Amino acid sequence: MSANTETVKQGSSALKDKLIAFHSWAGVDDSTLNGGQKLAVKYFMGAVVLFIFQILFGLLAAAQFLAPGFLYDILDFSVNRMIHINAMILWMLYGFIGCTYWLLEDESGTEIVGLKFGVLGFWVLTAAIAVVVLVYLLVQTGAGNDTTIWLINEGREYIEAPRWADIGIVVVMLIFFYNVVMTFSKGQWSGIAGVLTLDLVALAGLYVAGMFYMTNITHEQFWWWWVIHLWVEATWEVLVGVIMAWSLMKILGVSRRIVQTWLYIEVALMFGSGILGLGHHYFWIGTPEYWLTIGGFFSALEPIPLVAMVVHAVYDSGERGFKNLNHPAMAWLIAHAFGNFFGAGVWGFMHTLPQINLYTHGTQWSASHGHLAFFGAYATINIAFFYIAIQHWRGNVWMGAGSQNAWRWKWALALLNIGVLGMTIALLIAGYEQSFIERAIGGSTWGGYFSAQTHPSFMSAMQWRMFFGWVTASGLGLLVWDLLTIGKGETRTAEVITQAE
């Protein structure tokens, strides 16, 4: 046996020992998980790490609004913002994939068909992300030619990954799609399974459609927005609808008939309102004027079925006397329903009406809408599922009324929501000031832009944004602490939920 082989074996053994020690310290037991759930745990851990990165680089970018020279030429604002946004998209994607793998064997009634491919896909995706982030941090800029597109970034806002990483994401998503479809085909299909499968077809198809470049800037922007808007706001909305439906059945025992009905309505509205609602982004790329009204109105309707699903499920569980044995998960599901409604619906409707969007497009109003919408619609549902998973991983321990150290999850919930809501309002004030000084008075000139950016009202709002950013970060710290410790030492076992007819 060579010395290198011996070294690798020793390293592997040391890693295994550390993993066992961590499991023992955290009080978790892998024997309670099936194959899909073990894979899901990997995605959940990756999601939490990326969530921390998102907040860290968001704080750096917020600080550079107040002190533009901070880390200049070392870690520029453009890089911090890019990592902040991409980490946000990726940790949510990790969370969604993890949630799907978690429920897959339970919903299909059989083992995952290509579990080894799923594990391989996870490590390929994680390694690719690590390389891309290192390139962002260490290289930052390039010549602006084909080499830059392939090796640094594509220069397209929100989907800046270099071309090789783009292809890698598609391969990982194809593995994920294969596992979902083949596992349901081997086991049993349900309404939730059907919606999930169709949604994954759209999710993969839209991403691939957005990978093609066109020399005409209008055509280029047209397809780019189909990826950004329909991928995130349509396919993701349906995906969280699937996760929400399954979660409500598991923690409340709500009837499958109820949640599936609202899920079907969500899909119908997505085709009716989601595609038409995309029109609110057409204002600026030369498409016909009738999109102004169509896009402004229909973009507000997307989250309504999800809110209705939760309200209906909670009402039904109250009527039937169901018990909720996971209070943190239920609280985050309710936060999701109303965060989605206000962030994506109300804030989106307010911002995308043509008469308003004429002055607000591209100002901090957009950031205000984005912060509340992404947190309310997607971050909250992932956090709710983290609590569902950790309860099961610790042996289905009691996490209902009278749980130990319940103050942690309650304060984490409060600080995260107050922090994001505070940032949303601060950015709204900054966006209002920009709209007034930069657009209405300054006529969208460079002079108007700089006057708005240096105005005391703008700077004051950005200081408040910084403050609430730290509130959000403290909430995240408490959330991580709670996930690592909630249920440890709990001797009571949660009852098995009986699902209503």
Side-chain angles (χ1 to χ4, degrees):
M1 184 180 294
S2 69
N4 285 341
T5 306
E6 189 64 31
T7 303
V8 170
K9 278 195 171 182
Q10 287 175 355
S12 174
S13 178
L15 184 63
K16 195 173 179 181
D17 290 343
K18 286 181 181 176
L19 201 58
I20 292 171
F22 171 76
H23 282 193
S24 175
W25 174 83
V28 293
D29 181 7
D30 276 357
S31 67
T32 63
L33 307 182
N34 60 41
Q37 290 169 340
K38 288 177 185 172
L39 177 55
V41 167
K42 289 185 173 63
Y43 276 101
F44 291 151
M45 288 182 174
V48 172
V49 170
L50 288 167
F51 192 7
I52 294 170
F53 267 79
Q54 182 208 346
I55 299 298
L56 175 64
F57 282 90
L59 288 172
L60 287 174
Q64 287 173 325
F65 265 104
L66 300 173
F70 178 55
L71 294 178
Y72 180 69
D73 259 359
I74 299 172
L75 196 54
D76 289 345
F77 172 81
S78 60
V79 175
N80 288 326
R81 181 179 181 272
M82 181 167 61
I83 296 179
H84 172 61
I85 292 175
N86 282 269
M88 173 195 70
I89 293 171
L90 285 169
W91 91 254
M92 291 174 185
L93 202 56
Y94 265 61
F96 297 153
I97 295 174
C99 293
T100 306
Y101 274 127
W102 184 276
L103 65 84
L104 191 52
E105 293 195 13
D106 184 86
E107 187 67 14
S108 66
T110 188
E111 294 181 352
I112 293 178
V113 170
L115 187 59
K116 288 184 179 177
F117 292 123
V119 175
L120 179 65
F122 167 79
W123 287 114
V124 168
L125 182 62
T126 303
I129 289 170
V131 172
V132 169
V133 170
L134 285 175
V135 170
Y136 286 166
L137 291 174
L138 301 176
V139 183
Q140 301 193 4
T141 57
N145 53 27
D146 286 348
T147 307
T148 312
I149 291 170
W150 275 94
L151 299 180
I152 302 179
N153 77 62
E154 293 187 30
R156 302 168 118 192
E157 197 176 19
Y158 307 132
I159 44 174
E160 283 100 340
R163 181 50 56 95
W164 69 268
D166 247 357
I167 295 171
I169 290 171
V170 171
V171 171
V172 171
M173 291 308 296
L174 286 175
I175 292 173
F176 177 53
F177 179 72
Y178 169 83
N179 275 337
V180 170
V181 174
M182 295 309 292
T183 303
F184 281 125
S185 299
K186 178 186 169 191
Q188 60 193 18
W189 285 90
S190 63
I192 290 176
V195 171
L196 176 61
T197 302
L198 287 175
D199 187 58
L200 292 182
V201 172
L203 190 140
L206 283 171
Y207 194 83
V208 171
M211 289 175 63
F212 297 99
Y213 279 100
M214 296 185 179
T215 53
N216 184 304
I217 188 67
T218 298
H219 294 165
E220 164 70 13
Q221 288 287 296
F222 186 86
W223 285 108
W224 176 69
W225 270 118
W226 268 68
V227 176
I228 296 300
H229 202 290
L230 278 187
W231 198 60
V232 172
E233 293 193 26
T235 60
W236 281 24
E237 282 280 0
V238 173
L239 195 51
V240 299
V242 168
I243 296 167
M244 170 72 86
W246 192 85
S247 302
L248 288 171
M249 288 193 302
K250 291 300 169 185
I251 68 170
L252 275 181
V254 177
S255 161
R256 179 180 288 272
R257 179 176 50 82
I258 289 177
V259 295
Q260 283 190 168
T261 300
W262 284 111
L263 196 55
Y264 296 149
I265 295 173
E266 168 78 7
V267 173
L269 256 185
M270 202 51 62
F271 284 104
S273 69
I275 295 173
L276 294 175
L278 178 64
H280 74 251
H281 287 295
Y282 293 170
F283 305 162
W284 307 95
I285 59 175
T287 49
E289 198 170 311
Y290 51 75
W291 280 110
L292 297 177
T293 305
I294 296 172
F297 177 75
F298 282 98
S299 61
L301 300 178
E302 295 162 12
I304 290 175
L306 289 181
V307 179
M309 182 194 294
V310 174
V311 172
H312 194 157
V314 172
Y315 174 79
D316 190 60
S317 66
E319 284 285 299
R320 295 168 184 262
F322 296 148
K323 295 176 183 175
N324 166 28
L325 308 179
N326 191 329
H327 283 194
M330 192 65 226
W332 277 105
L333 285 182
I334 292 173
H336 163 76
F338 291 97
N340 196 358
F341 176 71
F342 284 105
V346 176
W347 241 253
F349 184 69
M350 178 176 71
H351 170 55
T352 55
L353 279 175
Q355 295 81 357
I356 297 174
N357 199 257
L358 176 65
Y359 295 98
T360 62
H361 194 91
T363 68
Q364 295 297 334
W365 275 62
S366 303
S368 171
H369 166 48
H371 277 70
L372 191 58
F374 273 95
F375 179 78
Y378 305 125
T380 48
I381 188 76
N382 275 332
I383 295 172
F385 214 99
F386 293 165
Y387 277 105
I388 293 174
I390 201 70
Q391 182 184 33
H392 192 79
W393 201 14
R394 289 208 165 98
N396 199 30
V397 295
W398 176 265
M399 286 170 59
S403 296
Q404 300 171 3
N405 299 313
W407 65 271
R408 288 178 194 157
W409 73 260
K410 291 177 182 175
W411 271 101
L413 175 80
L415 288 172
L416 278 165
N417 279 281
I418 290 171
V420 173
L421 191 59
M423 283 192 289
T424 300
I425 294 172
L427 290 167
L428 184 67
I429 293 169
Y432 178 84
E433 183 270 350
Q434 274 187 290
S435 304
F436 183 64
I437 294 178
E438 179 187 324
R439 301 287 169 81
I441 294 178
S444 297
T445 59
W446 278 113
Y449 172 79
F450 286 113
S451 295
Q453 292 283 319
T454 54
H455 194 277
S457 298
F458 183 86
M459 296 306 294
S460 178
M462 286 307 187
Q463 287 168 354
W464 279 107
R465 195 272 287 269
M466 188 82 230
F467 170 76
F468 282 109
W470 281 109
V471 173
T472 306
S474 63
L476 174 60
L478 199 53
L479 174 73
V480 173
W481 181 23
D482 192 51
L483 288 170
L484 287 171
T485 56
I486 189 170
K488 275 177 69 176
E490 176 62 68
T491 55
R492 292 171 292 175
T493 304
E495 299 172 28
V496 176
I497 297 287
T498 305
Q499 195 174 313
E501 294 296 326

